[in-house]
Amino acid sequence: MNESNFWSFDKLFDRIVIFILLFLMILFGPQFIPIFALSDQSSIYMKIILSILFFIIYFLMIWVAYISYKKHGQNSIKQPITKSNWKMIIIAYVLSHLIEGLLSFLSTMFYHQSTSGNQQNLQDMFSTNNLTVILMLFGIIIFSPILEELVFRGYLMDALFAPKFKWLPIIVSGVLFGLAHNTSLNIFFFLIYAQIGFFLAYLYKQTNNLKVSIALHMLNNLISAIIMVKMLF
């Protein structure tokens, strides 16, 4: 790779445009269209078709993100997760969870809100029917972490920032992650998602291994999904 050519203005501008398109793809969430169409009154054939469509759309989104990352990324995605990586994942999750608890408390105190708009939307989709719950669990625990890490950590941090930058890509990644997940004007909900994004970005920057941030993201979503399902059932 020719470094000077890679970081030329026109090449960088092209990659910024690609990131904006990837960001909008995640923001609009076309994978949820089949979920909204599902209902208890849907025929068995319609349920099968919509379920398959849900997986196809998710796979296509992940494929687009992966191709983009593979073309412009600076790190191999084939690296294994080491024991020290798992320690970092656990520590990051605990710290992030503690910060989330504090921010949730402040949100309740100042805004009298304990559930973010994003969380409420997920709960609403969960409560539709049992098939929706199953599909959403696949999306939240497996597909979303892979897709979002490819975009917000892998592509964003590798394609738009030179390796010499450490904290700037971490901050930008966290802020954009927070903006993508917060649907209200509640600053504390934004900070809850942003701080998770910071930890995910920090782990990726420290390890240069996207699997590490994906694992942390999956762990975070897994525990959140378990809590959500318990609340509903």
Side-chain angles (χ1 to χ4, degrees):
M1 179 189 298
N2 187 317
E3 286 292 325
S4 59
N5 184 51
F6 185 79
W7 294 110
S8 63
F9 176 78
D10 58 331
K11 297 291 185 181
L12 179 59
F13 179 80
D14 290 344
R15 295 196 300 275
I16 291 174
V17 171
I18 292 174
F19 173 76
I20 292 174
L21 294 175
L22 292 172
F23 181 86
L24 292 175
M25 177 181 72
I26 290 177
L27 197 63
F28 289 116
Q31 73 273 31
F32 296 122
I33 294 175
I35 297 290
F36 294 134
L38 274 172
S39 69
D40 289 327
Q41 286 71 44
S42 300
S43 68
I44 183 64
Y45 300 107
M46 183 57 66
K47 288 179 179 179
I48 292 174
I49 291 172
L50 290 173
S51 297
I52 293 173
L53 188 59
F54 171 80
F55 285 105
I56 289 175
I57 295 174
Y58 243 130
F59 287 149
L60 287 175
M61 293 172 69
I62 291 173
W63 179 77
V64 169
Y66 173 73
I67 293 300
S68 301
Y69 173 69
K70 188 176 180 181
K71 182 176 181 180
H72 300 294
Q74 301 171 25
N75 299 296
S76 172
I77 202 170
K78 297 180 180 180
Q79 304 176 67
I81 301 179
T82 65
K83 288 184 178 179
S84 61
N85 291 157
W86 281 114
K87 290 180 181 178
M88 293 176 67
I89 290 169
I90 299 300
I91 292 172
Y93 174 78
V94 172
L95 291 175
S96 175
H97 193 66
L98 291 173
I99 295 172
E100 181 180 345
L102 173 61
L103 292 171
S104 296
F105 171 77
L106 293 174
S107 173
T108 303
M109 179 183 294
F110 290 100
Y111 288 90
H112 306 291
Q113 296 176 341
S114 58
T115 304
S116 69
N118 181 68
Q119 197 76 5
Q120 187 60 55
N121 290 337
L122 292 175
Q123 289 179 7
D124 291 342
M125 284 188 277
F126 259 99
S127 61
T128 305
N129 53 65
N130 291 337
L131 179 57
T132 299
V133 172
I134 295 172
L135 295 176
M136 287 299 296
L137 286 175
F138 273 103
I140 292 173
I141 300 171
I142 300 174
F143 300 142
S144 284
I146 296 173
L147 173 63
E148 292 177 0
E149 292 312 302
L150 282 168
V151 174
F152 287 105
R153 256 58 67 180
Y155 188 84
L156 172 63
M157 295 177 66
D158 282 6
L160 305 189
F161 296 93
K164 64 180 180 180
F165 295 106
K166 179 177 181 179
W167 292 108
L168 182 58
I170 292 174
I171 294 171
V172 172
S173 176
V175 169
L176 291 178
F177 188 75
L179 290 174
H181 287 78
N182 185 44
T183 58
S184 70
L185 297 177
N186 186 327
I187 184 64
F188 297 110
F189 286 151
F190 163 74
L191 291 175
I192 285 174
Y193 290 110
Q195 63 88 20
I196 296 173
F198 293 148
F199 279 106
L200 291 166
Y202 178 78
L203 257 61
Y204 179 57
K205 192 66 177 178
Q206 285 294 104
T207 63
N208 294 318
N209 187 351
L210 197 62
K211 288 180 181 177
V212 176
S213 63
I214 290 175
L216 173 58
H217 201 149
M218 285 184 173
L219 174 63
N220 180 76
N221 286 14
L222 171 63
I223 296 176
S224 296
I226 291 174
I227 294 172
M228 202 178 302
V229 170
K230 281 188 174 182
M231 289 173 60
L232 292 172
F233 300 99

